[in-house]
Amino acid sequence: MKRQKNQAKKEEKKAAKSQEKPQSALLMLGIRLVACLLVCGFGLIAGASDSFHSEVERKTSIFLRLPIFFVTQGLLNDLFLGLGLQLARRICGDPGDLPWDPLKEEVIHHDSRITWPAIELPKELQPYKSRVGQPFFLNHVTGRQRCKDACMRCGMGVGALLGVWFMCVSLDRRSLSSLGFTLDMPFFSEASMGFAVGVFIVAFMFAIELLNGWVIFIQFFEVFDQSENFWICIFWDVVFHLNVAINEELPVRGWLLYNLAEAGVAYFQLSAMHAFVMAMVLESVVFVAMHLPSPGGTKPLSMLNLFVGGLAGGLNVLLTSGRLGFALGWHFGWNISMGNVFGRSTSGIPISEQHTANSATSRLVFLELVFGPHSSQWSLTLRRRITMVASSGLRAA
């Protein structure tokens, strides 16, 4: 009898919580909006006040603008991520009484219910199949999950864009285009070139692995959930990776890189080139920190590869006269081709489909683990050199 009463109380509490969810979602949205408005309001006041003005910079001091930048990026990314999630839930037909924040199952990196590969493995891969966990170190999810990932990342892209725009107009007294986000013909031309270079680097790495027998081809055009459409799945991955490029390149290789370089000239009397190199090193450290939550992102070799990638991204900006087009195209080309075209892991980002399904047979490739070639030693020099040569060629042209 006592157990029945306890069970009834639990059911009542659960029902009460369920009824409160829509209200709590609105409350969480309200809290985030208020936080964003407060920080932006403080930024506007600081930008108009002489108290925070730097004589050497001739604008609000970098020592105030820098923390405001990180806080606004965090708050706006979080706000629009939540809005993107609500949109994704509507697209996926989820119930309307879910909380504002993502549920645990909405932020998974790997769905263990998906059996991969679905077809019979070649004999070279049979010994690996019995390994516990993820024997092939690839993160697989459904297209439904990638729809949510894409919408959340799209929200983060909007948040990053608005955050950088706010910093430009309120504290920097400059236009967004002054950071290299020009959206003119040279910008799109260089973005196309950067995309081609990013795809070429990954294709070259994959060709080396394939020709040496380090990976084994399995099949073309694979969808992990057979009930889903391949082209719809790839659409969501394209949306996801486009917004990854915007979400990372515009704040880091745009606002942060430019403002740190200008601060180096103003405060330390460095030459423009030395200040830019200093800024490249610092933004690369931030780039590494952004990827630490990714699966395998804390491994030393992963961090070293990301640091070199950050330097290469900064170099792309330098050698394209300060425009962001090449860096954005390169970032998108690398990510979309690595995971969705050639079937390799991209910073542990999950995929729901791939044009070329394959798996590793060599310990050299297995050392990439779930983070992908970003954590392999042999790819470290390859990516850096090809990107630098391509960027130099673009500048000479």
Side-chain angles (χ1 to χ4, degrees), residues 10-204:
K10 285 182 181 178
E11 292 296 330
E12 285 176 10
K13 285 182 179 179
K14 194 180 283 188
K17 282 184 179 179
S18 179
Q19 290 175 358
E20 290 173 6
K21 279 178 183 176
Q23 184 181 357
S24 64
L26 289 174
L27 177 64
M28 296 305 292
L29 171 60
I31 291 172
R32 284 163 168 79
L33 280 171
V34 170
C36 289
L37 290 172
L38 286 174
V39 173
C40 290
F42 175 75
L44 287 170
I45 294 169
S49 172
D50 293 335
S51 303
F52 303 105
H53 186 78
S54 168
E55 290 297 329
V56 292
E57 293 184 77
R58 297 181 180 179
K59 57 185 171 184
T60 306
S61 170
I62 185 67
F63 299 106
L64 179 65
R65 285 185 291 125
L66 203 56
I68 292 176
F69 165 74
F70 284 118
V71 173
T72 53
Q73 281 293 312
L75 289 174
L76 288 170
N77 271 251
D78 182 59
L79 170 64
F80 284 94
L81 179 150
L83 290 171
L85 175 60
Q86 311 317 311
L87 173 62
R89 286 169 173 171
R90 284 185 174 274
I91 294 171
C92 295
D94 288 351
D97 60 347
L98 296 175
W100 175 266
D101 293 318
L103 301 173
K104 187 178 179 181
E105 58 267 26
E106 291 177 319
V107 290
I108 59 170
H109 286 102
H110 178 68
D111 191 340
S112 57
R113 297 170 298 178
I114 295 175
T115 302
W116 189 88
I119 63 173
E120 185 65 23
L121 281 171
K123 63 180 181 180
E124 297 94 333
L125 299 177
Q126 289 292 341
Y128 300 106
K129 192 174 182 180
S130 59
R131 291 187 179 186
V132 179
Q134 295 172 246
F136 302 104
F137 301 107
L138 291 172
N139 286 329
H140 299 137
V141 295
T142 63
R144 176 189 176 87
Q145 177 59 41
R146 290 303 285 156
C147 168
K148 293 185 177 182
D149 291 342
C151 288
M152 286 190 283
R153 183 60 76 160
C154 191
M156 292 174 70
V158 172
L161 180 61
L162 287 177
V164 172
W165 172 82
F166 171 77
M167 293 298 299
C168 287
V169 299
S170 66
L171 292 161
D172 298 343
R173 307 302 182 196
R174 71 199 313 169
S175 66
L176 193 61
S177 61
S178 68
L179 300 180
F181 198 64
T182 54
L183 301 181
D184 53 12
M185 282 306 297
F187 175 92
F188 288 110
S189 175
E190 289 164 3
S192 301
M193 178 70 75
F195 174 79
V197 170
V199 173
F200 174 77
I201 295 171
V202 178
F204 185 71

Side-chain angles (χ1 to χ4, degrees), residues 80-347:
F80 284 94
L81 179 150
L83 290 171
L85 175 60
Q86 311 317 311
L87 173 62
R89 286 169 173 171
R90 284 185 174 274
I91 294 171
C92 295
D94 288 351
D97 60 347
L98 296 175
W100 175 266
D101 293 318
L103 301 173
K104 187 178 179 181
E105 58 267 26
E106 291 177 319
V107 290
I108 59 170
H109 286 102
H110 178 68
D111 191 340
S112 57
R113 297 170 298 178
I114 295 175
T115 302
W116 189 88
I119 63 173
E120 185 65 23
L121 281 171
K123 63 180 181 180
E124 297 94 333
L125 299 177
Q126 289 292 341
Y128 300 106
K129 192 174 182 180
S130 59
R131 291 187 179 186
V132 179
Q134 295 172 246
F136 302 104
F137 301 107
L138 291 172
N139 286 329
H140 299 137
V141 295
T142 63
R144 176 189 176 87
Q145 177 59 41
R146 290 303 285 156
C147 168
K148 293 185 177 182
D149 291 342
C151 288
M152 286 190 283
R153 183 60 76 160
C154 191
M156 292 174 70
V158 172
L161 180 61
L162 287 177
V164 172
W165 172 82
F166 171 77
M167 293 298 299
C168 287
V169 299
S170 66
L171 292 161
D172 298 343
R173 307 302 182 196
R174 71 199 313 169
S175 66
L176 193 61
S177 61
S178 68
L179 300 180
F181 198 64
T182 54
L183 301 181
D184 53 12
M185 282 306 297
F187 175 92
F188 288 110
S189 175
E190 289 164 3
S192 301
M193 178 70 75
F195 174 79
V197 170
V199 173
F200 174 77
I201 295 171
V202 178
F204 185 71
M205 292 169 60
F206 177 72
I208 291 174
E209 293 179 341
L210 194 63
L211 291 172
N212 283 280
W214 298 341
V215 296
I216 296 293
F217 169 77
I218 297 176
Q219 64 176 326
F220 285 118
F221 299 104
E222 181 183 38
V223 183
F224 305 130
D225 186 336
Q226 298 301 311
S227 67
E228 295 178 331
N229 181 277
F230 177 87
W231 298 108
I232 293 176
C233 289
I234 193 67
F235 168 78
W236 289 120
D237 277 308
V238 168
V239 172
F240 177 88
H241 286 298
L242 274 173
N243 282 280
V244 166
I246 293 170
N247 182 229
E248 295 182 1
E249 295 297 325
L250 183 56
V252 178
R253 248 79 71 180
W255 192 91
L256 190 62
L257 184 62
Y258 272 77
N259 282 277
L260 288 176
E262 288 176 349
V265 173
Y267 287 101
F268 305 111
Q269 287 76 53
L270 298 175
S271 67
M273 181 59 68
H274 289 158
F276 199 88
V277 170
M278 177 201 74
M280 281 172 53
V281 171
L282 293 175
E283 62 85 5
S284 297
V285 172
V286 173
F287 189 62
V288 172
M290 291 170 66
H291 289 79
L292 291 179
S294 301
T298 56
K299 294 184 178 297
L301 204 50
S302 300
M303 291 190 286
L304 181 59
N305 262 287
L306 286 166
F307 183 78
V308 171
L311 292 177
L315 191 64
N316 290 334
V317 175
L318 175 65
L319 297 180
T320 53
S321 304
R323 286 187 293 271
L324 282 173
F326 189 93
L328 281 162
W330 168 70
H331 198 149
F332 172 66
W334 172 280
N335 281 1
I336 195 70
S337 60
M338 179 68 72
N340 300 99
V341 177
F342 296 106
R344 315 301 292 133
S345 182
T346 310
S347 304

Side-chain angles (χ1 to χ4, degrees), residues 371-389:
F371 198 68
H374 300 63
S375 60
S376 65
Q377 189 170 1
W378 77 276
S379 72
L380 180 64
T381 304
L382 178 66
R383 177 170 60 168
R384 179 184 60 194
R385 289 186 177 177
I386 293 178
T387 306
M388 289 172 67
V389 169

